[in-house]
């Protein structure tokens, strides 16, 4: 399994967890989403705070359409 991770996710701790599971991890700038699994599944990770801010500032639905 190969997972591409957006470089802004470094502080989340998820990259470390993936590396411990011997997953092939590539950290880079992604055009959209935070994680791409096997070049076919894109995931946008949101904290509760980020989710609410995304709704308020109108980013959420744009991000969804990009996914």
């Amino acid at each position: 399994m190969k997972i591409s991770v957006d470089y802004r996710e470094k502080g989340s701790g998820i990259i470390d967890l993936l590396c411990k599971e011997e997953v092939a991890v590539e950290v880079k700038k992604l055009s959209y989403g935070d994680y791409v699994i096997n070049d076919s599944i894109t995931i946008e990770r949101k904290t509760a705070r980020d989710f609410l801010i995304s709704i308020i500032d109108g980013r959420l639905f744009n991000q969804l359409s990009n996914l």
Side-chain angles (χ1 to χ4, degrees):
M1 178 183 304
K2 176 185 135 197
I3 301 180
S4 298
V5 182
D6 190 271
Y7 71 95
R8 293 168 283 205
E9 287 292 303
K10 286 183 180 178
S12 71
I14 294 175
I15 295 171
D16 295 331
L17 292 172
L18 292 171
C19 289
K20 286 180 184 177
E21 295 298 320
E22 298 180 10
V23 174
V25 176
E26 176 184 22
V27 179
K28 63 182 186 177
K29 182 178 180 182
L30 297 177
S31 299
Y32 51 88
D34 296 316
Y35 304 88
V36 178
I37 302 170
N38 293 332
D39 295 322
S40 62
I41 299 170
T42 303
I43 297 169
E44 175 73 28
R45 186 182 73 85
K46 295 247 181 243
T47 62
R49 184 181 187 330
D50 189 31
F51 181 73
L52 290 174
I53 292 171
S54 295
I55 292 172
I56 292 167
D57 69 14
R59 280 184 299 136
L60 181 66
F61 296 106
N62 188 29
Q63 289 175 330
L64 285 172
S65 68
N66 286 335
L67 293 175

